Structures are given as structure tokens and as C-alpha cells.
Amino acid sequence: MKIRRNEYEILNQMLDDAIAGTFEENCFDESELSKLQTKFMRYLSTASMSEKKIQEEKDNLKELITNISHQTKTPLTNILMYSELLTEVAATEQEKEYAGEVFAQGKKLESLIEALVKMSRLETGIFQYQKKETAYREIIHKAVEQALPKASEKNISILVRDVGRYRSYVDEKWVIEAVYNILDNGIKYSGEGTTVYIEEFSYEFFSGIRITDQGIGISEEEIPLLFGRFYRGRSAHDKEGIGVGLFLAREIVENNGGYIKVTSQVGTGSRFDVCFPNISTL
């Protein structure tokens, strides 16, 4: 059946209305085109309802996440404050140990809730990235600044090699967090007196930030599992952490159009390449 020009215009207008969210059902006759229009109308109506329901669910989830974050903040702050006070007034070493354990578990719970909120926002698309042209130099310096206190505690050096040549189109704030998470991971699994190196690199279509540590390394079969939610390696159970840092790093990098490449050798260390498209290839 050939569709005449006016019939094509009717169908085209239906699509335009559906895209604009102004589509409404009209009265049709019993022609073949009318039957097609009716089916099309039912499909568009169903799709519109589904989209509306998805958006409502996202809004409800956003509200739930915000409420969880707000409702847990005050109780956790009080737990941490009172556990510190108990440590100061404890009469015996055992009491101090118990109060210290309450504080440590409270901090762990605080980190877990913060990570869960971030994961939910990233996975559901609630958060919108604010991308702009960004120099890797800025990301590196700010991530290193955050990581230095923990590195100093373990007498670990962070050596920033030649930077300042490359840039990409990313959300600076969130990519800083991704790079910091990888740096933090390298510090966590490296021994005292070692060095973590961070530098830029560039290929024809991609450039990025490379983090190399002198830690315990990762076996080849574990590398594909590294970025799983709450995954902790076989050698990581005696280390601090909840297993979400690398998961968040991957989510952030991929949502900024990039990827992470890992190479490692057990007992020697690991290298993480955080890659983004070159601005010239966007």
C-alpha cells in the first residue's frame, strides 16, 4: 500500500508530537491507514506511559537516596563523637580498646553509606556529568593532594612525572575521584617505603593518566574481577576497605567515555591506565 503525501504528514506529525510529549488520541475512520494509525497510537501511548513510569521511579529513588543520606548522617556523627569521648574517659586499656573499635566500625559504616549513595546515583543515571575541556595536570595534582596524608602514614612516596601536555573532555570533579580511588588502592596494597608513580601518556586516539605502584600485585585471573561491586582480592582481607573504590572508578571513567586498562605481576606491582578520547578525536 502506497502512503500518500498527506497520510505521510499525519504519521510524521504523530511522531513529532510523541517526541515533544504532546501526543493525543484522535478519531479515525475504518481505512487501512486508520488501522495503522490506531496501532501506532497505542504503541506511542504505551511507550509514553513507560517513560513516565521510569522517570517517576528515578525521582522516587533519588528522594530515597537523599533521605537515607540525611537520616543516617546525624546518628553516625553522634556515634563517632561519643566513641571518641569514651576513649578519653576510659578507665582501663580494655575500655579504650572497645571504644576505639566502636569508632573504627562507625567510620567504616560511614564510608559504606557514602559509597552506596554514590553507586546508586551513578548506576541509575541520577547524577549528570558536567563535562568540559580539562587538563590531566589539574586532575593529577588534586588527586595526589587528597592521597598524600595516607601515603605519608605509610612512608610511601607519590612521584608525579612530567605532566601538563594532554587534556580531554571530562567531568573534572568526578574523574579526580576516580584517579584518587586508584591511587588510594595502590597505597593501600603497597609496603612502607615504596613509591607510587603517576604520569600522563598519549596514543593516537586516546590519552590519559597512568598510576604505577610497587604493591602486592594482582594475579591474571583476578584482574577481570577487580572492578566488581564489593570485590576484595584474595590477599586483601587483612587490609582496610569495603571493595567499592575501583568499582566507582570504572563507573566514572566509562560514563566519561573512557576505560581502564590494568597490567600487573604478583609480588611486583600494578599499573592502571585511565584512558579517555583525545580532544581531536571527539
Side-chain angles (χ1 to χ4, degrees):
M1 179 183 67
K2 291 183 177 180
I3 299 179
R4 295 185 297 273
R5 182 171 181 80
N6 65 322
E7 294 167 341
Y8 165 80
E9 289 175 352
I10 291 172
L11 291 173
N12 191 54
Q13 186 60 49
M14 289 175 70
L15 274 174
D16 289 341
D17 291 344
I19 292 170
T22 57
F23 177 78
E24 294 181 359
E25 182 179 357
N26 294 312
C27 295
F28 303 111
D29 56 34
E30 293 300 318
S31 67
E32 290 298 320
L33 178 60
S34 179
K35 292 177 183 178
L36 177 61
Q37 289 173 324
T38 301
K39 289 181 180 178
F40 195 34
M41 176 272 296
R42 289 174 182 169
Y43 169 76
L44 291 176
S45 296
T46 302
S48 178
M49 289 175 63
S50 297
E51 185 179 355
K52 184 178 180 182
K53 186 176 181 181
I54 290 170
Q55 187 58 49
E56 287 177 353
E57 289 175 351
K58 279 189 175 183
D59 291 341
N60 290 335
L61 182 58
K62 182 178 180 180
E63 184 178 356
L64 176 63
I65 292 169
T66 301
N67 286 339
I68 290 172
S69 180
H70 287 167
Q71 294 299 325
T72 57
K73 189 173 183 179
T74 300
L76 268 174
T77 300
N78 289 337
I79 289 171
L80 294 172
M81 179 183 69
Y82 283 116
S83 61
E84 285 186 303
L85 289 174
L86 284 172
T87 302
E88 292 175 3
V89 300
T92 66
E93 287 300 317
Q94 189 175 47
E95 289 176 354
K96 286 185 179 181
E97 183 182 343
Y98 290 159
E101 186 62 25
V102 171
F103 180 81
Q105 293 301 318
K107 292 295 288 184
K108 186 174 181 179
L109 182 58
E110 184 180 51
S111 298
L112 179 59
I113 291 172
E114 182 180 343
L116 288 171
V117 170
K118 287 180 181 177
M119 283 194 297
S120 298
R121 286 175 174 166
L122 291 173
E123 287 188 301
T124 56
I126 290 173
F127 181 83
Q128 298 298 314
Y129 291 96
Q130 305 298 319
K131 297 181 182 180
K132 63 179 182 178
E133 187 175 323
T134 305
Y136 294 137
R137 176 185 63 248
E138 299 300 322
I139 295 170
I140 288 171
H141 287 324
K142 290 176 182 177
V144 167
E145 185 178 0
Q146 292 182 41
L148 275 175
K150 186 174 288 187
S152 298
E153 288 177 9
K154 296 183 68 175
N155 193 29
I156 291 175
S157 301
I158 302 177
L159 180 59
V160 180
R161 287 170 169 161
D162 184 33
V163 296
R165 291 173 290 173
Y166 307 116
R167 45 207 307 127
S168 190
Y169 194 69
V170 297
D171 186 308
E172 180 179 339
K173 175 187 172 184
W174 280 96
V175 173
I176 288 170
E177 174 153 351
V179 172
Y180 165 75
N181 285 349
I182 297 172
L183 263 177
D184 182 67
N185 193 74
I187 294 166
K188 192 182 300 178
Y189 297 113
S190 295
E192 292 192 10
T194 57
T195 301
V196 177
Y197 301 91
I198 183 165
E199 58 195 314
E200 297 178 349
F201 67 91
S202 180
Y203 302 124
E204 183 178 0
F205 299 111
F206 282 84
S207 59
I209 298 167
R210 175 171 294 154
I211 300 111
T212 307
D213 64 54
Q214 298 174 325
I216 58 177
I218 308 155
S219 63
E220 187 175 347
E221 61 268 21
E222 278 194 284
I223 289 177
L225 306 174
L226 275 181
F227 299 99
R229 191 189 291 105
F230 300 116
Y231 178 77
R232 305 202 69 202
R234 300 190 196 104
S235 305
H237 295 293
D238 61 336
K239 308 291 184 182
E240 64 173 301
I242 53 178
V244 298
L246 293 182
F247 171 81
L248 287 172
R250 186 191 64 177
E251 287 289 308
I252 292 167
V253 171
E254 289 185 351
N255 284 321
N256 277 271
Y259 67 93
I260 301 175
K261 180 182 177 183
V262 183
T263 54
S264 186
Q265 186 175 346
V266 175
T268 301
S270 305
R271 188 180 82 184
F272 288 76
D273 287 353
V274 182
C275 311
F276 297 104
N278 288 328
I279 288 180
S280 59
T281 63
L282 292 174

